[in-house]
């Protein structure tokens, strides 16, 4: 099975470039499953039901979220009735929605998509992602061999550790959240595809999607600044993965980096 994952969609610039380029990416990569991280898709923070529907209408199969999952309060009711929209499964307590989706492709083939949040440098108190994903893997149906993990975290060390922890037990561990694509894509020894961060889909000439002068002002003054999604050139980041249907092991991982002139 071929999977296409698009990194953090940032506001309207991210949504528009995804709308423009996803049809061509589909023709070129021929994915059977399209996954998008949409936690910044509505105004740069969070997602709304309308924006989620917009992404689904583009042909996105599963949307993952992260630390901004609840920034738009109206999503809390919507997510309970939409199995294709995932929040991190290691949110504490009993939040709405689910952290795992199982999708069917080509008859008997099924794939699981899991969403995790890292704890290092996090502002929220998440449950242990290592123990929580261990529990979830044990609960998955045994015929689900293709397992994709979006690990939404700040610290490179935590993401790398998760890759090694899950090597051979999932098909791919793809990092999100830092909005800067890393060049460490590889297949780990036991067959898991890994990359620390798939990157961001949105404003290119920015500070991780935010208007650069506002961020510079914040650093210089240490005073409150209202951030805004940047304008101008856009980029699209992600990865394409080939997974063996029988073993669930990754066969290839290829970075996607498209930048407007």
């Amino acid at each position: 099975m071929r999977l296409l994952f698009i990194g953090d969609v940032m506001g309207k610039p991210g949504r528009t470039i995804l709308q423009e380029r996803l049809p061509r990416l589909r023709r070129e990569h021929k994915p059977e499953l399209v996954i998008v991280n949409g936690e910044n898709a509505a105004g740069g923070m969070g997602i709304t039901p309308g924006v989620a529907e917009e992404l689904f209408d583009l042909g996105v199969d599963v949307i993952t979220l992260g630390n901004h999952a609840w920034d738009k309060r109206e999503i809390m009711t919507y997510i309970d009735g939409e199995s294709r929209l995932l929040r991190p499964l290691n949110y504490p307590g009993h939040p709405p929605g689910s952290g795992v989706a199982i999708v069917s492709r080509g008859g008997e083939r099924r794939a699981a998509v899991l969403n995790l949040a890292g704890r290092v440098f996090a502002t929220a108190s998440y449950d242990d992602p290592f123990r929580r994903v261990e529990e979830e893997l044990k609960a998955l149906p045994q015929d689900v061999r293709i397992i994709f993990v979006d690990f939404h975290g700040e610290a490179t060390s935590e993401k790398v550790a998760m890759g090694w922890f899950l090597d051979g037990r999932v098909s791919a561990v793809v990092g999100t959240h830092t909005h800067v694509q890393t060049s460490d894509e590889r297949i780990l020894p036991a067959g898991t595809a890994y990359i620390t961060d798939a990157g961001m889909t949105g404003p290119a000439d920015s500070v991780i999607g935010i208007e650069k002068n506002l961020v510079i002002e914040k650093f210089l003054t240490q005073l409150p600044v209202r951030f805004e999604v940047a304008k101008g050139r856009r980029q699209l980041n992600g990865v394409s993965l080939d997974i063996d249907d029988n073993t669930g092991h990754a066969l290839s991982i290829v970075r996607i980096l498209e930048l407007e002139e």
Side-chain angles (χ1 to χ4, degrees):
M1 181 183 291
R2 178 165 293 177
L3 284 66
L4 177 65
F5 178 79
I6 304 298
D8 302 45
V9 173
M10 186 72 177
K12 189 172 182 179
R15 303 199 313 269
T16 55
I17 193 170
L18 179 65
Q19 179 182 21
E20 294 166 11
R21 303 209 176 188
L22 185 56
R24 177 179 54 77
L25 290 173
R26 282 186 176 279
R27 292 194 301 270
E28 291 179 356
H29 294 274
K30 297 179 173 57
E32 297 176 72
L33 183 62
V34 177
I35 308 163
V36 168
N37 185 287
E39 76 130 13
N40 299 120
M45 296 180 71
I47 192 169
T48 63
V51 168
E53 292 294 334
E54 180 184 326
L55 296 179
F56 289 136
D57 288 345
L58 295 179
V60 174
D61 297 296
V62 178
I63 301 172
T64 54
L65 299 175
N67 57 298
H68 290 298
W70 313 127
D71 282 16
K72 308 296 190 236
R73 300 292 291 180
E74 59 266 39
I75 205 65
M76 298 186 77
T77 301
Y78 174 85
I79 198 172
D80 260 339
E82 180 49 81
S83 61
R84 298 173 296 172
L85 178 63
L86 303 181
R87 46 82 177 163
L89 61 87
N90 59 318
Y91 263 110
H94 302 283
S98 175
V100 59
I102 297 178
V103 295
S104 297
R105 288 293 181 273
E108 297 181 355
R109 293 186 303 158
R110 296 201 292 173
V113 180
L114 280 65
N115 194 187
L116 287 172
R119 294 197 297 182
V120 179
F121 305 130
T123 56
S125 298
Y126 301 110
D127 291 340
D128 182 349
F130 292 86
R131 290 185 173 86
R132 189 64 188 86
V133 72
E134 184 89 66
E135 295 168 357
E136 196 63 44
L137 292 179
K138 292 177 182 177
L140 287 178
Q142 290 191 353
D143 66 329
V144 176
R145 294 184 175 86
I146 297 172
I147 305 171
F148 177 92
V149 177
D150 173 352
F151 190 25
H152 198 79
E154 185 77 27
T156 297
S157 58
E158 190 177 22
K159 295 183 190 179
V160 172
M162 183 63 75
W164 287 112
F165 180 69
L166 294 177
D167 186 24
R169 299 192 288 164
V170 304
S171 306
V173 175
V174 173
T176 56
H177 179 61
T178 59
H179 288 202
V180 177
Q181 189 180 76
T182 56
S183 60
D184 60 342
E185 76 280 8
R186 55 178 165 158
I187 298 176
L188 298 175
T192 294
Y194 175 83
I195 186 170
T196 298
D197 203 285
M200 177 194 68
T201 296
D205 299 322
S206 67
V207 177
I208 62 173
I210 300 298
E211 175 58 48
K212 55 184 178 296
N213 290 330
L214 296 176
V215 180
I216 293 169
E217 180 184 348
K218 172 69 174 178
F219 280 120
L220 287 173
T221 67
Q222 294 299 302
L223 295 174
V225 175
R226 183 174 180 176
F227 288 161
E228 297 176 5
V229 177
K231 299 178 175 63
R233 289 195 310 165
R234 301 165 302 166
Q235 66 182 39
L236 184 147
N237 285 176
V239 291
S240 176
L241 305 114
D242 281 324
I243 311 297
D244 187 285
D245 291 332
N246 296 316
T247 65
H249 292 167
L251 302 173
S252 67
I253 176 170
V254 177
R255 277 186 295 134
I256 297 170
L257 170 57
E258 300 199 354
L259 178 64
E260 286 185 321
E261 297 294 331

